[in-house]
Amino acid sequence: MKTLFTILAAVAVVLLGFGLYQAFLVAPTEATMGPVQRIFYWHVPLNIIGEITPYVNMLASIAYIFLRGRNQLAARRADALAVASAEVTVLFVGLGLIGGILWGRPAWGIWWAWDARTTSTLLLLLLYVSYLLLRRFSDGPGSRTIAAVLSIFAGVDVPIVFMSIRWWRTQHPAPVLTGDGEIDPVMKSAFAWNLLAFFIWGIVLIWARYATLRREQALAEREALQLIGVA
Amino acid sequence: MGYSADSIRYLHIAYTIFITVQVAYVAWLAARWKRVTSAIATTRPPGA
């Protein structure tokens, strides 16, 4: 497993570097917005993967709720996966939002638009920040269950974020890749490389955080057993 | 074609933040892994 992780991490780093090369040196400069449009090549993949990781969190949370009274080991694994995916969600969605703000300033002339896409994405970020704060500042199986329930509700925001530019008139552009808009094939290819890079990078980060959390759970178990004099 | 200085400036700021934050997260993860691994090494396993 360690070898597989190392290979996957190396592939992700190489692909991220190749993605940057594609974004900065291969893709043409967009005619209207100029160089700032190149934020697109990381902003969009960060947000797309940041809309997949909440479902990992949600499924792991459902598994935790189902398993907690039946199989303690499997429940702890599910819980670690839920926390790992929530952290990566905050990282990716947070960076995606920052990219959007920095793109919006020169493109729209404003830092922030309270439109459906940006607001629902901010809500998604705040929901997962609250999930992590809940996990950080409260302890015990009760808090894990409450956080798992919160994550199920938080997952409901994801389809709202995705559909927001289809359901409502927004400042944010309409779908470029799946809508009617046309995109230069070289731009599309550069975007696809970056999307693949972030997909693998997301797996690597969740895997690394999951492994750390499992070790922390094992350490907590050992310390608890020492405390009561069993070990 | 010339573009505004802002267009290039905001592009640089965005990618600097993207890369810096992710490198910082990986460094934090590595430190955490190292700390928990050394703590496990100095703690007796259950039943030992």
Side-chain angles (χ1 to χ4, degrees):
Chain A
M1 287 302 260
K2 199 177 170 186
T3 313
L4 180 62
F5 174 80
T6 309
I7 292 168
L8 208 59
V11 168
V13 171
V14 169
L15 276 175
L16 284 170
F18 185 68
L20 275 178
Y21 164 74
Q22 288 281 322
F24 279 85
L25 298 172
V26 176
T29 304
E30 203 269 343
T32 317
M33 288 179 277
V36 77
Q37 182 272 340
R38 293 181 200 276
I39 289 178
F40 164 82
Y41 298 105
W42 272 27
H43 164 75
V44 178
L46 279 165
N47 279 298
I48 289 177
I49 306 303
E51 287 176 27
I52 295 172
T53 49
Y55 284 113
V56 179
N57 173 264
M58 186 199 246
L59 291 173
S61 298
I62 292 169
Y64 173 77
I65 291 170
F66 179 74
L67 292 165
R68 71 199 157 117
R70 296 174 173 86
N71 184 336
Q72 275 301 309
L73 177 64
R76 281 201 299 271
R77 282 180 177 157
D79 186 53
L81 181 61
V83 174
S85 53
E87 252 182 44
V88 174
T89 301
V90 168
L91 178 73
F92 281 13
V93 173
L95 285 176
L97 267 179
I98 291 169
I101 290 167
L102 289 164
W103 188 1
R105 182 69 182 88
W108 301 339
I110 47 171
W111 291 105
W112 183 263
W114 288 102
D115 72 352
R117 170 53 70 87
T118 52
T119 308
S120 57
T121 307
L122 177 65
L123 181 66
L124 185 70
L125 176 70
L126 293 176
L127 283 165
Y128 283 96
V129 168
S130 63
Y131 173 92
L132 291 176
L133 288 175
L134 181 62
R135 296 305 305 263
R136 174 72 182 81
F137 293 109
S138 66
D139 208 2
S143 75
R144 285 195 284 272
T145 307
I146 293 167
V149 173
L150 172 65
S151 93
I152 295 166
F153 281 103
V156 174
D157 190 38
V158 177
I160 297 172
V161 173
F162 182 75
M163 294 304 291
S164 57
I165 51 175
R166 294 165 178 83
W167 287 343
W168 297 290
R169 187 190 295 267
T170 63
Q171 178 82 24
H172 197 277
V176 176
L177 296 158
T178 55
D180 298 331
E182 290 226 346
I183 182 168
D184 184 287
V186 182
M187 287 180 167
K188 208 170 195 169
S189 157
F191 166 77
W193 280 112
N194 280 292
L195 185 61
L196 177 66
F198 273 98
F199 180 73
I200 299 173
W201 183 232
I203 293 171
V204 167
L205 289 181
I206 290 176
W207 189 340
R209 187 67 183 109
Y210 170 82
T212 311
L213 282 160
R214 287 291 296 139
R215 288 209 156 194
E216 286 170 356
Q217 287 174 344
L219 178 65
E221 192 184 349
R222 282 187 186 194
E223 286 173 345
L225 288 171
Q226 272 189 349
L227 203 66
I228 57 171
V230 173
Chain B
M1 185 177 175
Y3 295 102
S4 74
D6 269 2
S7 185
I8 297 166
R9 191 155 56 96
Y10 287 112
L11 174 70
H12 287 166
I13 295 170
Y15 275 91
T16 304
I17 293 172
F18 286 159
I19 293 168
T20 308
V21 172
Q22 288 182 88
V23 168
Y25 181 69
V26 170
W28 174 80
L29 256 179
R32 203 154 173 145
W33 172 265
K34 208 173 164 183
R35 196 166 57 235
V36 74
T37 303
S38 70
I40 283 178
T42 55
T43 316
R44 269 182 297 157

